Amino acid sequence: AWAPQKTGLLNAPAAGRHAFVALRNRVVRDLHAAGARLLVGSDSPQFYMAPGYATLREIEAFAAAGLSPY
């Protein structure tokens, strides 16, 4: 079941992927600025995100959105 979903994700237009990441980063920054307490977790529903790797990837995504990795 994952193979067709992975293919679909990889074939998504680049502009759409970039727009999604930009929106996600804005939401994370706005939540952080508003005082929301954000938590990194390894249980994301992303395909092929293994625990451990998923946590490190989420820390990287928070940092890319402008948050401290701490």
Side-chain angles (χ1 to χ4, degrees):
W2 284 11
Q5 292 168 344
K6 180 181 176 187
T7 300
L9 290 172
L10 294 176
N11 291 330
R17 291 192 313 268
H18 294 300
F20 170 80
V21 170
L23 176 61
R24 182 190 62 200
N25 287 347
R26 191 177 105 211
V27 168
V28 168
R29 279 192 306 272
D30 289 352
L31 285 168
H32 179 69
R37 298 179 70 175
L38 303 173
L39 179 68
V40 171
S42 64
D43 59 342
S44 66
Q46 302 298 320
F47 303 107
Y48 299 104
M49 287 298 224
Y53 172 77
T55 301
L56 295 175
R57 178 65 187 102
E58 193 165 348
I59 292 170
E60 290 174 351
F62 276 16
L67 278 65
S68 166
Y70 297 105

